[in-house]
Amino acid sequence: MFEHLFVGVRTSEWLSSVCYSNICICVFCSCSQSSMESPNLEFEYGDTDTLTAELSELYSYTEEPEFALNRDYFEEDFKSHGTDRRWIELSVEEQKAYVMQLLDALEVTDRDKRLKVARAILYLAQGVFDECDTEMDVLHWSRYNVFLLYDMGIFTALLELLSMEIEYVDTFIFLLTIMYLIVETIRVQTEDDRPEWVAARETFKNELGSLLYNGEPFALLLFTMVTKFCSMNAPHFPMKKVLLLLWKTILFTLGGFEELQEMKVRGREHLSLPPLPEDSIKVVRAMRAASPPASAMELIEQQQQQKRGRRSRRVQPPLVKQDSLDTYNERDPFKNDDVRDEEEDPEDTDGGIEGEVDPLDRDVIIQPPPPPPPLRPPSERVNFPKGLPWAPKVREKDIEHFLETSRNKFIGFTLGNDTETLVGLPRPIHESVKTLKQHKYVSIAEVQIKREEELQQCPLTLLLCVLCQIALLKLLLAAAPTSKAKTDSINILADVLPEEMPITVLQSMKLGIDVNRHKEIIVKAISALLLLLLKHFKLNHIYQFEIVSQHLVFANCIPLILKFFNQNIMSYISAKNSICVLDFPHCVVHEMPELTAESLEAGDSNQFCWRNLFSCINLLRILNKLTKWKHSRTMMLVVFKSAPILKRALKVKQAMMQLYVLKLLKIQTKYLGRQWRKSNMKTMSAIYQKVRHRLNDDWAYGNDIDARPWDFQAEECALRESIEKFNSRRYDKNKNGDFTPVDNCLQSVLGQRVELPEDFHYSYEMWLEREVFSQSIQWEGLLQNP
């Protein structure tokens, strides 16, 4: 975008750059008023939805009868202890005494008795709703009871019981439900939390992340459940509840987006790097969304008006409208009529975005300029737009590449990675390098990569288990609305389908909504979980992030996400797969109205579905992370024809979602060819206005792209090699034998633990006879010189 800063760019490209930049600003500024006619989606992106929404999504609508059963089992057990008062009327000591009795009852051998006790505990965690009058009362007592249950050690007892009940789906579901309520309730911090609750939150957070549960973190146990389910070894697992509990456990123990931002700031301070130029979350939240696309009738009307306008322009004087570039206090001397022809885009009618001007208005906005005034010095002529949201960035590699090109051109040789020596280069190149260095940005990842390269030279330094993401992608594929049912695919609906299938139209409609909602919640949990893991891995160490990313890419994550978006995204965003009167806690407080087909079809009154929009943004962010600075993966976007799929996603009028779509389009524009860029100038304009600029990135032109010797397979192989070296150095137990010191201490050697197979104790006598007693040992050989 700013190629005109640098010497060596052809004059025609420089003129095109200035002209193109100003047209972009002109188009967007002129359409600011028209875009206000369509309001933005009132969506605030965050770690999760509201607590009420997150709790309601835990339950399927087919679980509605279970609420009454939980209450009945609790009241039966509660009254058996000889009290006529209600739970909320007891003192704290009496409540704790009753919870201790429930803990003791969990250890009985009768499984039916344990199931009833689990239901009673679940009723407490659900807020003793039969004793409450409002939804707020239910949430209040649920929070109070959860902290009480945790304080009494319920979570640890449930975890021990989980391994015993893992084969019994009914009890297993109740245990997972209680655990989710405990994790999610304690995770969310409120203003009126008691001091002991704040302390309990930190204690619980540390416990979940520790190795207290059979020598492994709780999240790893849940990951194992996901893997077993996808390998068909445990098809009865309620996968939606497992995924939700796994997501919230990771979110609680590692931290969400705000914690990640704080960790990134601290990480840069620790590495003595300059502070971040801005807070990405705040910048995106301040962005305005793009205008929605025109309907088919509006497009036909615009074409008719365009024809009438062209005939009328011959007899009518041109309309004069104040130039949108008045923010620069100057008229652009390079603006001309030729750009109007490039703005004509008959193939781009399906991707309306903010700044896409009605064809009739183009001549109103872009007028033939007066004769150009004398050119002023570059320092006065070049004025960057003040309204761009992002500070530009430059990588060290970009500066090296620029200097290498300049040295080859002006002095005929290069100096390698030297970015300081400017001898022999003309003065404009000095100014260009100065400008680049002013916007130089060094990421934590670059520092980590450089550190790893240095450590590879020292193989005597100290040497993560790689999480298999294929299971999560299988679940995502099964839950995607674009997927078709297959007989050999995994069944993710086992915990939502009722025992008796519906026999009426109303029951069928209700089940259909429940199934669609069930799939949406699974997509939400998986997308949030994957994004959270990628961000934390990248912050912890770049090569941990790279190995997980490469596993995802090799498991076809990129085409899977594109397949997800190859649907009517507007319909998915505005889906009404919810029945508000059946959502918890509404359904346990209010009387159930009579459901009709009309009320089910109407759905809720929300403008959009929060979880679906949340999922779409998460998937786009994952796709961005997988492809950023990876030419081979960017080419996958091109090969899979992602451009029209992504352009359709721009119809969603939400700034954050549009930003990540435009980022994905930006990285592949240079590969799409000149004709595509010429036919999609409106999309290019949106990229210019909303996406961060890399000062010497040739994304808008793609000069000599065919001549660049990209070896995409070699790129992935080189990355894989770096990852394996990192893993070997840090985590490999079998260190390089050439550098392992010999242990000559007899006591130390005999004291080492040797891992033996599980069946060794059955045959150790035969092993002793074969390997020890029957072998003759030449003891005198020890006395001989080697």
Side-chain angles (χ1 to χ4, degrees):
M1 184 53 56
F2 303 107
E3 286 86 351
H4 54 279
L5 283 174
F6 311 122
V7 173
V9 180
R10 292 189 296 270
T11 306
S12 60
E13 294 178 1
W14 172 56
L15 292 174
S16 300
S17 176
V18 178
C19 182
Y20 166 70
S21 305
N22 292 335
I23 288 173
C24 295
I25 298 299
C26 177
V27 167
F28 275 98
C29 292
S30 301
C31 290
S32 60
Q33 294 180 351
S34 61
S35 63
M36 293 298 291
E37 298 173 0
S38 181
N40 297 348
L41 295 180
E42 295 298 328
F43 172 81
E44 184 174 349
Y45 183 79
D47 293 314
T48 62
D49 202 349
T50 62
L51 177 61
T52 304
E54 295 295 335
L55 294 180
S56 68
E57 290 179 352
L58 175 65
Y59 309 100
S60 300
Y61 293 145
T62 51
E63 296 182 61
E64 180 192 351
E66 302 293 335
F67 292 116
L69 289 176
N70 297 341
R71 177 197 59 203
D72 295 341
Y73 282 121
F74 170 80
E75 291 180 349
E76 177 185 345
D77 184 80
F78 192 57
K79 291 180 180 178
S80 66
H81 289 82
T83 178
D84 295 331
R85 291 179 295 169
R86 300 187 299 171
W87 169 262
I88 61 177
E89 297 173 347
L90 299 180
S91 64
V92 176
E93 290 73 17
E94 292 173 322
Q95 291 172 342
K96 288 184 177 180
Y98 177 70
V99 173
M100 285 298 299
Q101 294 173 353
L102 291 178
L103 274 171
D104 294 338
L106 277 178
E107 300 178 0
V108 299
T109 57
D110 187 355
R111 199 179 71 84
D112 292 335
K113 175 64 175 177
R114 293 201 305 269
L115 176 60
K116 292 182 179 180
V117 173
R119 283 184 176 273
I121 295 174
L122 177 55
Y123 178 70
L124 286 175
Q126 290 173 338
V128 289
F129 47 81
D130 200 50
E131 302 178 18
C132 300
D133 298 324
T134 64
E135 297 178 29
M136 294 303 298
D137 290 342
V138 175
L139 295 177
H140 166 76
W141 281 105
S142 172
R143 188 170 189 80
Y144 173 85
N145 291 342
V146 160
F147 276 99
L148 177 64
L149 292 171
Y150 170 72
D151 184 52
M152 300 301 296
I154 283 289
F155 192 88
T156 304
L158 294 177
L159 189 61
E160 295 174 354
L161 191 60
L162 194 66
S163 58
M164 298 172 54
E165 303 290 343
I166 200 166
E167 299 298 329
Y168 303 99
V169 61
D170 47 0
T171 313
F172 188 67
I173 289 178
F174 293 132
L175 296 180
L176 289 176
T177 304
I178 300 171
M179 287 179 167
Y180 179 85
L181 292 175
I182 294 176
V183 171
E184 178 64 1
T185 303
I186 296 180
R187 181 191 69 83
V188 177
Q189 187 172 0
T190 60
E191 296 179 355
D192 56 346
D193 276 354
R194 305 174 182 178
E196 59 268 23
W197 290 2
V198 176
R201 177 179 296 105
E202 290 302 317
T203 303
F204 188 38
K205 178 180 179 179
N206 295 330
E207 286 181 2
L208 286 178
S210 64
L211 306 178
L212 295 179
Y213 309 114
N214 296 325
E216 61 186 25
F218 180 56
L220 192 56
L221 173 64
L222 298 174
F223 267 116
T224 305
M225 293 182 186
V226 175
T227 306
K228 287 183 178 180
F229 177 84
C230 292
S231 61
M232 308 301 290
N233 291 327
H236 63 284
F237 282 177
M239 197 40 50
K240 186 189 80 170
K241 296 183 186 296
V242 173
L243 289 171
L244 286 174
L245 180 55
L246 174 58
W247 167 34
K248 296 304 175 62
T249 301
I250 295 293
L251 180 61
F252 186 25
T253 54
L254 298 184
F257 299 137
E258 293 185 1
E259 289 87 351
L260 276 164
Q261 184 73 9
E262 295 173 359
M263 292 162 62
K264 192 173 183 179
V265 171
R266 293 197 300 268
R268 294 186 65 84
E269 291 177 354
H270 178 71
L271 296 173
S272 301
L273 294 174
L276 293 168
E278 70 275 302
D279 188 334
S280 300
I281 298 177
K282 294 180 179 179
V283 172
V284 175
R285 285 176 178 172
M287 278 188 176
R288 292 180 59 252
S291 300
S295 64
M297 292 299 296
E298 290 173 340
L299 291 173
I300 295 174
E301 183 180 354
Q302 288 175 4
Q303 293 174 359
Q304 293 175 350
Q305 291 177 351
Q306 183 181 10
K307 294 177 181 178
R308 293 194 299 267
R310 283 175 178 172
R311 290 194 297 267
S312 63
R313 283 200 297 268
R314 298 176 183 175
V315 296
Q316 295 178 355
L319 298 177
V320 178
K321 188 172 183 178
Q322 184 175 355
D323 196 294
S324 342
L325 296 181
D326 283 1
T327 53
Y328 303 95
N329 297 320
E330 65 178 7
R331 240 179 211 284
D332 180 20
F334 303 104
K335 189 169 58 177
N336 53 51
D337 282 330
D338 295 336
V339 293
R340 285 180 293 174
D341 298 331
E342 292 189 1
E343 281 281 65
E344 299 290 336
D345 183 13
E347 300 175 1
D348 198 35
T349 56
D350 65 331
I353 52 178
E354 180 185 44
E356 295 192 1
V357 187
D358 185 274
L360 182 62
D361 294 334
R362 287 181 182 139
D363 289 297
V364 176
I365 297 172
I366 306 171
Q367 294 296 323
L375 297 180
R376 284 172 287 179
S379 60
E380 299 180 12
R381 183 177 67 250
V382 179
N383 292 305
F384 294 142
K386 297 181 180 178
L388 295 179
W390 305 100
K393 286 183 179 180
V394 178
R395 296 186 300 167
E396 180 74 18
K397 291 181 179 179
D398 298 330
I399 302 177
E400 293 173 2
H401 177 70
F402 173 72
L403 279 173
E404 182 181 9
T405 304
S406 301
R407 287 169 181 148
N408 270 328
K409 178 175 181 179
F410 292 102
I411 57 180
F413 64 89
T414 63
L415 297 177
N417 297 332
D418 186 355
T419 60
E420 301 299 328
T421 304
L422 302 178
V423 176
L425 296 176
R427 186 63 187 175
I429 296 296
H430 290 228
E431 295 297 328
S432 300
V433 174
K434 179 180 178 182
T435 303
L436 288 172
K437 289 185 175 181
Q438 285 176 350
H439 296 91
K440 179 181 173 182
Y441 176 78
V442 180
S443 66
I444 295 177
E446 290 173 313
V447 176
Q448 292 171 341
I449 291 174
K450 186 176 181 180
R451 175 63 175 160
E452 285 301 314
E453 292 174 351
E454 294 173 354
L455 290 175
Q456 292 303 330
Q457 309 301 322
C458 306
L460 290 179
T461 53
L462 294 176
L463 297 186
L464 170 82
C465 298
V466 178
L467 295 175
C468 181
Q469 307 298 330
I470 298 178
L472 291 175
L473 294 184
K474 283 184 177 180
L475 294 170
L476 182 61
L477 176 61
T482 54
S483 299
K484 296 181 181 179
K486 296 181 180 179
T487 54
D488 58 341
S489 63
I490 54 179
N491 179 19
I492 60 173
L493 303 177
D495 52 330
V496 70
L497 296 178
E499 296 180 359
E500 298 181 1
M501 296 307 293
I503 56 177
T504 65
V505 175
L506 185 63
Q507 291 175 343
S508 299
M509 291 179 63
K510 177 182 175 183
L511 181 59
I513 292 174
D514 205 5
V515 167
N516 291 335
R517 175 177 177 267
H518 184 83
K519 291 182 177 180
E520 292 172 359
I521 296 172
I522 289 179
V523 172
K524 171 187 174 182
I526 294 176
S527 64
L529 176 61
L530 284 176
L531 177 61
L532 206 58
L533 287 173
L534 287 174
K535 289 182 72 67
H536 275 286
F537 276 129
K538 188 173 183 179
L539 190 58
N540 192 50
H541 200 285
I542 183 61
Y543 282 133
Q544 292 179 350
F545 163 81
E546 292 292 5
I547 192 169
V548 174
S549 298
Q550 202 166 66
H551 274 280
L552 289 173
V553 171
F554 291 165
N556 291 326
C557 182
I558 291 177
L560 172 57
I561 295 178
L562 293 176
K563 178 182 175 68
F564 180 90
F565 281 95
N566 193 19
Q567 59 170 313
N568 189 334
I569 288 294
M570 287 301 299
S571 298
Y572 186 73
I573 294 297
S574 58
K576 305 294 185 182
N577 292 314
S578 61
I579 307 173
C580 298
V581 294
L582 296 181
D583 285 337
F584 178 87
H586 185 279
C587 63
V588 297
V589 176
H590 304 281
E591 293 186 6
M592 186 63 58
E594 182 181 357
L595 296 177
T596 62
E598 291 75 15
S599 62
L600 293 181
E601 286 181 351
D604 56 38
S605 58
N606 293 331
Q607 190 181 8
F608 58 91
C609 178
W610 196 97
R611 61 174 168 267
N612 289 354
L613 187 50
F614 177 73
S615 300
C616 288
I617 294 176
N618 289 340
L619 292 174
L620 288 170
R621 296 186 71 182
I622 292 171
L623 200 54
N624 269 283
K625 288 192 172 298
L626 295 181
T627 55
K628 186 176 182 180
W629 304 119
K630 302 291 191 303
H631 298 289
S632 58
R633 300 173 190 177
T634 302
M635 285 304 296
M636 292 180 69
L637 296 177
V638 179
V639 171
F640 289 117
K641 301 185 184 301
S642 66
I645 297 174
L646 294 172
K647 278 183 61 182
R648 286 197 296 270
L650 290 173
K651 294 182 178 181
V652 179
K653 191 171 169 57
Q654 207 284 323
M656 178 173 270
M657 180 169 173
Q658 290 176 343
L659 172 66
Y660 289 107
V661 171
L662 293 172
K663 281 187 173 185
L664 290 168
L665 288 172
K666 177 187 176 182
I667 62 175
Q668 57 178 311
T669 51
K670 62 176 67 176
Y671 302 105
L672 297 176
R674 177 179 176 82
Q675 184 58 42
W676 186 92
R677 295 192 294 272
K678 182 177 179 181
S679 301
N680 293 273
M681 284 299 293
K682 303 167 214 174
T683 302
M684 302 282 283
S685 300
I687 293 172
Y688 172 83
Q689 198 231 14
K690 291 184 178 293
V691 182
R692 187 193 302 276
H693 293 290
R694 300 280 174 171
L695 289 186
N696 51 352
D697 185 6
D698 202 17
W699 68 272
Y701 299 97
N703 295 322
D704 302 324
I705 193 67
D706 295 332
R708 298 188 182 181
W710 298 124
D711 189 343
F712 302 115
Q713 189 172 5
E715 185 182 23
E716 291 290 347
C717 291
L719 176 61
R720 185 69 178 181
E721 183 181 0
S722 299
I723 292 171
E724 289 176 352
K725 288 180 180 178
F726 168 78
N727 285 338
S728 176
R729 187 183 65 79
R730 284 210 169 191
Y731 308 113
D732 193 359
K733 294 181 180 179
N734 302 317
K735 301 179 183 178
N736 193 325
D738 295 337
F739 299 99
T740 304
V742 178
D743 190 352
N744 294 320
C745 178
L746 179 63
Q747 195 172 21
S748 172
V749 172
L750 294 178
Q752 292 180 359
R753 288 181 59 93
V754 180
E755 295 184 4
L756 301 173
E758 295 180 358
D759 57 347
F760 179 77
H761 65 280
Y762 293 113
S763 57
Y764 78 95
E765 293 180 349
M766 295 176 58
W767 180 87
L768 283 173
E769 181 65 32
R770 183 180 70 249
E771 302 293 338
V772 179
F773 300 142
S774 63
Q775 298 290 332
S776 59
I777 302 174
Q778 302 295 331
W779 296 104
E780 62 274 11
L782 296 174
L783 303 177
Q784 298 176 358
N785 292 328

